[in-house]
Amino acid sequence: MTTLTVTNAIIAQQELSRRLARKGKTIAIVPTMGALHEGHLSLIRRGLKKADVVVTTIFVNPTQFAPNEDLNRYPRDPQGDLNKIKQAGGQVVFIPSAAEMYPEAFETYISVENLTRTLEGGVRPTHFRGVTTVVAKLFNIVRPDVALFGMKDYQQAMVLKRMTVDMNWPIDFVICPTVREKDGLALSSRNRFLSPESRRQAPALYLALRAARRLVREGKTDAASIENTMRAIIGQDAPSAIVDYIAFTEMETLRPVSIIGKQTVASLAARFGTVRLIDNLKIA
Ligand code: PAF
């Protein structure tokens, strides 16, 4: 097992990254908010194939939570996270405090204008400004050659990819497949908050997405009628779920489509009590 270097100060991480670069080592970054699961670990393992050193960052970023959201309830497991990172082969972990990342005088934000208006951005209007700002800061601190994100947060991945291209950061941006439980539920740090009954019902979200893909494979193209089928499946198999949205969008531009064409992603968000889950599937 590899030794794990933990940095907390920005200046220490910047110095470490500079030292690694001077030695000719390439760096991959896996930004996380901790409470790591197999989805995060799959990013670390993929990072190790793409770069010499993987820096995992753990920071529950306050600027991406609205005042009514679950910042204080967000799961935290620092020791468990370090053990998992070590076992996955990650070599460096950057764990800053909120005061380190956002000192009192902080007032600079970075926004991606249009991709953030739909889907999650429609329901959480301040969310992506926080995500892009913190990831921009993490990129500047860690100076990665490669950045890895999961497809589970599809819109986040597209927004951050756009930001990386627009800001001319020379970073290989890698989007990795969603990791799922055996019954299809997408892994998420929030799954642990589902009641046993909601946990039983939650795989219906993936069932609905798969039904959409099957319908498209059978030649159906009308988004509204596919959405009806999906809602019927969720209504039947997950009666506790309240669907926030079901959407069909062009993969990269996130433009909504009413007739399913090539490169279409079906996305959804649903609430089980106070637990909000998102998922998506490329259906064409
Ligand atoms: O996906 C997450 O865990 C967060 O949004 C991220 C990318 C680490 C930024 O805080």
Side-chain angles (χ1 to χ4, degrees):
M1 219 185 294
T2 31
T3 42
L4 196 59
T5 303
V6 178
T7 58
N8 303 111
I10 289 171
I11 196 156
Q13 181 55 52
Q14 280 173 325
E15 177 47 33
L16 175 59
S17 291
R18 257 198 304 271
R19 258 201 330 269
L20 289 167
R22 273 200 299 269
K23 284 188 194 154
K25 304 280 184 206
T26 52
I27 299 176
I29 187 171
V30 176
T32 80
M33 297 207 297
L36 302 183
H37 52 64
E38 192 48 42
H40 300 112
L41 303 182
S42 72
L43 300 180
I44 295 175
R45 287 190 208 104
R46 179 84 180 272
L48 286 166
K49 295 209 172 92
K50 309 239 4 149
D52 299 314
V53 176
V54 173
V55 179
T56 306
T57 70
I58 299 180
F59 179 59
V60 183
N61 173 35
T63 62
Q64 70 189 73
F65 290 81
N68 63 330
E69 291 180 351
D70 58 352
L71 172 62
N72 293 328
R73 244 169 40 100
Y74 199 83
R76 287 164 171 86
D77 179 17
Q79 196 47 55
D81 288 345
L82 294 183
N83 293 341
K84 287 176 191 163
I85 293 167
K86 213 165 158 184
Q87 263 168 21
Q91 302 101 326
V92 179
V93 190
F94 174 54
I95 315 182
S97 66
E100 180 77 358
M101 291 297 273
Y102 298 111
E104 226 171 276
F106 184 89
E107 59 166 324
T108 304
Y109 288 84
I110 183 160
S111 305
V112 171
E113 298 287 311
N114 287 317
L115 292 180
T116 56
R117 291 195 212 279
T118 55
L119 305 178
E120 285 302 285
V123 188
R124 307 177 70 191
T126 57
H127 172 67
F128 284 113
R129 186 177 91 134
V131 172
T132 43
T133 300
V134 80
V135 172
K137 284 169 70 68
L138 292 169
F139 283 179
N140 286 334
I141 295 163
V142 173
R143 298 295 173 113
D145 303 281
V146 183
L148 298 105
F149 294 89
M151 181 67 180
K152 154 80 171 35
D153 293 300
Y154 152 61
Q155 185 177 16
Q156 169 172 282
M158 294 306 146
V159 166
L160 292 173
K161 188 173 171 190
R162 182 78 260 150
M163 174 183 79
T164 306
V165 172
D166 288 352
M167 292 294 106
N168 306 108
W169 280 312
I171 297 173
D172 178 10
F173 196 96
V174 180
I175 302 174
C176 299
T178 301
V179 179
R180 298 180 181 280
E181 300 280 6
K182 280 205 180 70
D183 60 11
L185 178 64
L187 294 193
S188 160
S189 305
R190 293 183 169 102
N191 288 351
R192 68 188 72 190
F193 295 130
L194 291 167
S195 70
E197 181 51 26
S198 297
R199 173 63 189 82
R200 200 187 59 71
Q201 295 183 18
L205 306 182
Y206 184 51
L207 268 184
L209 289 165
R210 284 185 40 194
R213 187 174 61 186
R214 196 175 52 247
L215 289 171
V216 171
R217 284 179 178 165
E218 284 167 9
K220 308 277 189 309
T221 56
D222 180 44
S225 104
I226 296 172
E227 176 173 343
N228 285 342
T229 305
M230 292 173 72
R231 284 187 185 272
I233 291 169
I234 295 171
Q236 172 149 346
D237 290 0
S240 315
I242 297 172
V243 176
D244 274 349
Y245 63 78
I246 291 178
F248 303 90
T249 50
E250 282 176 15
M251 173 92 177
E252 297 265 340
T253 64
L254 264 63
R255 276 194 211 105
V257 296
S258 51
I259 299 296
I260 310 294
K262 284 201 176 96
Q263 300 287 320
T264 304
V265 175
S267 315
L268 54 76
R271 280 172 288 135
F272 290 86
T274 55
V275 186
R276 188 164 179 282
L277 302 181
I278 59 172
D279 200 356
N280 67 79
L281 192 65
K282 188 160 176 288
I283 58 170

